[in-house]
Structure formats: structure tokens, C-alpha cells
Amino acid sequence: MTTSQTMTTACRMTITTEAWNPRPEEIDGIWPGIAPLVARGLERGSHGEYTVEDIHAGLVQGRLQLWMAKDGDTPAIGLTQVATYPQFRTVLILFCVGDGVDDWQEIGLAAIEKAARANGMRAIEVIGREGWSRRLGLLGYRRDAVTLRKELDK
């Protein structure tokens, strides 16, 4: 699965065997094993913006990027999207999910950061729960803003 890749609209690069970023054409072959993790990530870190099917389509079409890490039999995944602003591009981490976060967090983030730098991204942005603020603060990330949300009646 690890091949020479580049981050354009989709993030792809060569990564160690501990963390890798499958190509869009590889998604269908691994989807049965990762779909439950995607569902878990959406349950914990989403407000209904995506369904599991939306994530699958986004990955296959290259609009979203899947990052995988595995420690023994314990897989973990992260999902990113390139955010294009008028003046620059960033990588937006939508969610990370899996067991043993302490074992894969630094490896996964280092892979995403390396791909982002190699492809001229200005920053990495994370949307997540409060616990990520403390955890990622140790790796040089800082709280930059607060997201407030109000659901509107239909």
C-alpha cells in the first residue's frame, strides 16, 4: 500500500510501515476493514455533515484523504481534507479514531505534516473535542479559535 505519492487535491506520499495513506483506487479493497472505524469517528466527532457513504465516495474520488496507522492488530485512522482559501491551502483533520492513540498519534501527525509541507500547505487545522487541545498542545499545536454551533429549525 505504501507507494510514492504526492499531495495535490488529495494527500498522498510515501510513509513508513507504521502509518500510510492509501490511494483512492485502493480504498474499495480496504473499505470493509475501515468502515466500522469511519462510523465510530462520525458518531464521536460529527454533527451529521457526512455519512459513512459520503466518506467512502470522498475517498474514492480523492476529495478526502485517509491516513492509517497500525500497532499489531489495532488499526487507527485519520481523515483529512484540503481546505483551499483565497490566499493559501491547509490540511483540515476531520477526525482520528482508533485504539491506542498514544502509540500512533505522533506517527500519524508526522506523516500528515510531512505531506502538507511537501505540498505547500500553510497549516494544519484540527476540528475536535476539547481533549485534543490538551493532547496536541504537547506537539506544538495551539488553540486558535473556538467553534460555536447552533442547530437551526428546519
Side-chain angles (χ1 to χ4, degrees):
M1 241 186 265
T2 302
T3 57
S4 178
Q5 306 156 349
T6 59
M7 179 188 295
T8 54
T9 310
C11 311
R12 278 177 265 305
M13 60 172 286
T14 301
I15 305 175
T16 68
T17 56
E18 291 89 14
W20 69 96
N21 171 234
R23 294 178 177 191
E25 61 269 19
E26 297 172 315
I27 296 299
D28 285 336
I30 61 172
W31 187 249
I34 62 166
L37 283 171
V38 169
R40 187 169 139 199
L42 292 175
E43 286 172 17
R44 298 183 71 187
S46 170
H47 297 288
E49 300 92 341
Y50 297 98
T51 64
V52 173
E53 293 78 18
D54 296 331
I55 299 297
H56 179 260
L59 292 169
V60 169
Q61 295 166 5
R63 293 180 289 109
L64 300 173
Q65 302 80 46
L66 176 68
W67 299 86
M68 301 176 65
K70 191 168 185 179
D71 181 26
D73 292 329
T74 306
I77 63 168
L79 190 71
T80 61
Q81 179 176 21
V82 174
T84 302
Y85 301 107
Q87 302 301 314
F88 55 87
R89 296 185 313 152
T90 68
V91 175
L92 175 61
I93 298 176
L94 300 175
F95 67 77
C96 295
V97 64
D99 298 323
V101 67
D102 292 331
D103 298 327
W104 54 260
Q105 161 185 291
E106 286 187 54
I107 293 167
L109 285 171
I112 293 169
E113 290 173 14
K114 182 176 180 180
R117 280 188 192 94
N119 291 280
M121 302 294 163
R122 182 167 176 176
I124 296 186
E125 300 173 327
V126 179
I127 297 175
R129 296 179 318 217
E130 183 63 30
W132 284 105
S133 176
R134 291 184 299 275
R135 183 179 289 279
L136 296 180
L138 300 173
L139 298 174
Y141 288 73
R142 66 177 177 80
R143 189 176 184 153
D144 188 51
V146 175
T147 301
L148 303 173
R149 180 180 189 90
K150 179 181 180 180
E151 295 290 332
L152 302 175
D153 297 331
K154 294 182 180 182

